[in-house]
Amino acid sequence: MASRDPSSRFKGSNRTPPRGRGGLPHRRNREDRDGPAILYGWHTVTLALANPKRKIRKLFVTENALRRLQDENIDLKKLTPEVVRPSVIDQRLGPDAVHQGLLAEADPLPALDISELPQDGIVLVLDQITDPHNVGAILRSAAAFAVEAVVTTARHSPEATGVLAKSASGALELVPLVIVQNLARALNEMKEHGFLTVGLDSEGSTNLAETELRAPLALVLGAEGKGLRQLTRETCGTVARLDMPGEIKSLNVSNATALALYIGASRLGLMK
């Protein structure tokens, strides 16, 4: 993973996380994966507060952030925020985290099942994309293009918390996640439900802009550098590439996602 996420979860979903200075939880180890999601930053936390499906357990705020919440009449879901100094949140998240005076502990959102995916739009499928910044940026693009859901694996993917949630800037509250154990099996199940599965790969046999597309459409993206795994590529109904006129022929995976979504949404008549 390209960046360490300081907010991996506590062991034992029924346990109260250990507290540090100011009542905030201590930093957690990577293996501590069960427990509350950590959300920070203005857009991330306020959209979580506005999401009726998101249960907020604890809310830590600075005086300035609390004043802004009150000025903007943001519903705190009957929470009693704990007012702390900015340095206390800094200590919890690390000096590079831009928290804007807000940190929340929340229950993870419920994930969809493959069988619950809508049949009239676009779904993104992520094949072992592990960088939380990239996945967060992909979720932002997904929200911008009204993607129905993002499918990812239980392993070899970042948790929906911390750095990913901040990079997504609230998109976690807008785009449902589908967590699967086996991606090839999930792709086959999606095909059984009528999905056209299109893998994106620089060695694809056709240009995505010239590929016949229809809904429901699943765009499958691989990790930066490695691309799609062989089994994933073989399971996709079509493998397409993104042709570009410039000297640089490859894009960051989050940028490639945005371009693919624009092409897909345009071809499916989803652009308003």
Side-chain angles (χ1 to χ4, degrees):
M1 189 175 295
S3 173
R4 183 179 66 178
D5 183 345
S7 58
S8 56
R9 301 174 183 174
F10 290 100
K11 288 184 178 179
S13 58
N14 294 324
R15 290 176 53 189
T16 301
R19 301 281 157 176
R21 292 177 57 190
L24 272 70
H26 289 294
R27 293 192 184 192
R28 294 172 287 182
N29 298 323
R30 288 171 60 91
E31 64 271 16
D32 296 337
R33 297 183 63 86
D34 298 324
I38 300 300
L39 309 175
Y40 62 89
W42 184 262
H43 293 297
T44 303
V45 174
T46 55
L47 280 177
L49 288 167
N51 184 359
K53 296 181 180 179
R54 176 75 82 173
K55 183 174 180 58
I56 306 294
R57 297 289 184 176
K58 295 280 187 179
L59 180 63
F60 302 94
V61 302
T62 62
E63 290 184 359
N64 288 340
L66 180 59
R67 189 177 304 113
R68 185 179 175 187
L69 289 170
Q70 294 168 338
D71 289 343
E72 298 191 15
N73 295 316
I74 292 175
D75 184 4
L76 299 182
K77 294 184 175 179
K78 299 182 180 180
L79 291 167
T80 301
E82 184 167 340
V83 181
V84 298
R85 300 186 308 278
S87 60
V88 175
I89 302 179
D90 290 338
Q91 183 183 36
R92 167 65 183 91
L93 297 174
D96 297 328
V98 183
H99 54 73
Q100 298 166 294
L102 288 175
L103 185 152
E105 291 180 15
D107 287 352
L109 288 168
L112 289 180
D113 185 78
I114 292 290
S115 61
E116 300 175 295
L117 290 174
Q119 300 288 301
D120 56 355
I122 300 176
V123 168
L124 288 178
V125 181
L126 308 185
D127 184 15
Q128 295 195 353
I129 300 177
T130 58
D131 186 333
H133 294 95
N134 274 335
V135 177
I138 287 170
L139 282 164
R140 289 183 68 179
S141 294
F145 285 96
V147 165
E148 301 290 353
V150 172
V151 179
T152 187
T153 52
R155 297 183 60 199
H156 304 293
S157 64
E159 294 179 86
T161 182
V163 171
L164 186 156
K166 182 64 169 64
S167 299
S169 192
L172 274 175
E173 314 303 322
L174 304 172
V175 183
L177 293 178
V178 179
I179 311 298
V180 300
Q181 297 296 327
N182 184 295
L183 197 63
R185 188 181 303 126
L187 286 170
N188 281 325
E189 187 176 348
M190 292 174 73
K191 287 192 285 187
E192 291 173 2
H193 282 84
F195 275 85
L196 173 64
T197 55
V198 179
L200 295 179
D201 191 281
S202 60
E203 302 299 321
S205 58
T206 181
N207 179 7
L208 181 65
E210 299 171 352
T211 302
E212 184 176 349
L213 302 177
R214 61 164 175 80
L217 172 64
L219 296 174
V220 189
L221 298 109
E224 197 148 350
K226 295 185 296 183
L228 298 175
R229 289 176 294 164
Q230 181 176 349
L231 182 57
T232 303
R233 188 184 297 106
E234 293 172 351
T235 307
C236 290
T238 302
V239 179
R241 64 185 184 274
L242 293 170
D243 285 344
M244 288 160 289
E247 292 296 324
I248 296 178
K249 300 299 182 182
S250 63
L251 294 173
N252 170 281
V253 65
S254 62
N255 293 331
T257 301
L259 178 55
L261 284 174
Y262 180 83
I263 294 171
S266 298
R267 298 287 297 281
L268 268 57
L270 301 177
M271 302 293 287
K272 296 180 180 180

